[in-house]
Amino acid sequence: MGEILDLVEARLRTALGEPDARADVTFLGTDRIEVLRFIDGDVVRYATLGMSAQPMADPTSPLADPVKGPRAELVLSVRVGLADTDQVLRPLAVLAASPQVEGLIVTPGASLDLGQPLWAGAPFSSVLVAEPGGLVEDLQPAPPMDPVRFLPLLPMTHNEAAWKRVRGAQELQERWLTHGTDLRDPLRASVPLD
């Protein structure tokens, strides 16, 4: 487990630079999840470290394979200085622990809901899991392990999350693109959905 996390951290450092802060959270019955913070100009990126220690397993499967299966870490990018986004550390750790706690397999297009704001005053309590490969390339550990995918998280307002449930992730992303939505703005309003 430690070896793969060393490789994951090295990949994050290569892609994002040196973290300027880190925090760790341990939930009862789960492995420790760390959240690393990287500052890149006017953007702060938070990346989980620990979610990929174990492969995500189908909760209906009678036996979980300890080696094979999808692995991932989460990455959230927001603009610096507009809100106290460092409060997102624990919520991100909760999302990263969800495969172990709830038996979820986190994939692009999925919604993850916290039921509370990502940080105090945030208009977002859920995120859309985006396609990997843009910011941090997948990491291929030694076979037979599956690649570790670094999944970007896009914060959604309550209205956007409800609209996504009805219309799907692709249509919501197209709506954001059409309206030039700054998905890194920690205070942004919901995109027009009419």
Side-chain angles (χ1 to χ4, degrees):
M1 178 178 89
E3 184 178 317
I4 191 160
L5 293 183
D6 290 344
L7 294 171
V8 168
E9 183 169 354
R11 176 59 53 96
L12 286 168
R13 288 173 183 266
T14 299
L16 305 175
E18 288 298 312
D20 75 324
R22 65 193 310 146
D24 63 79
V25 179
T26 305
F27 302 100
L28 186 63
T30 67
D31 296 325
R32 182 180 70 180
I33 302 288
E34 289 189 84
V35 180
L36 283 59
R37 184 180 72 184
F38 302 86
I39 303 290
D40 182 14
D42 68 340
V43 174
V44 59
R45 301 185 200 286
Y46 302 95
T48 64
L49 179 63
M51 182 178 171
S52 63
Q54 304 294 329
M56 293 180 274
D58 182 345
T60 63
S61 175
L63 289 174
D65 190 319
V67 177
K68 295 189 71 146
R71 295 175 188 260
E73 296 291 352
L74 308 175
V75 181
L76 174 70
S77 301
V78 291
R79 298 225 177 274
V80 172
L82 301 176
D84 186 8
T85 57
D86 280 351
Q87 295 175 31
V88 79
L89 300 177
R90 183 169 177 78
L92 269 181
V94 167
L95 295 177
S98 62
Q100 288 183 57
V101 174
E102 299 174 34
L104 294 178
I105 296 180
V106 179
T107 58
S111 299
L112 301 175
D113 194 332
L114 285 161
Q116 64 184 31
L118 290 175
W119 53 84
F124 322 105
S125 62
S126 61
V127 293
L128 175 65
V129 180
E131 290 290 334
L135 189 60
V136 184
E137 290 183 29
D138 291 353
L139 170 68
Q140 179 59 65
M145 288 189 204
D146 289 12
V148 176
R149 303 172 85 194
F150 296 88
L151 302 170
L153 300 180
L154 308 175
M156 294 187 292
T157 65
H158 294 293
N159 289 342
E160 290 169 341
W163 202 79
K164 184 259 177 195
R165 281 191 295 277
V166 173
R167 301 284 187 98
Q170 183 65 36
E171 284 199 36
L172 178 57
Q173 289 176 308
E174 287 173 10
R175 179 67 55 138
W176 283 333
L177 190 58
T178 300
H179 289 274
T181 305
D182 180 2
L183 297 173
R184 294 178 180 169
D185 181 349
L187 301 174
R188 73 172 179 82
S190 184
V191 69
L193 298 170
D194 49 3

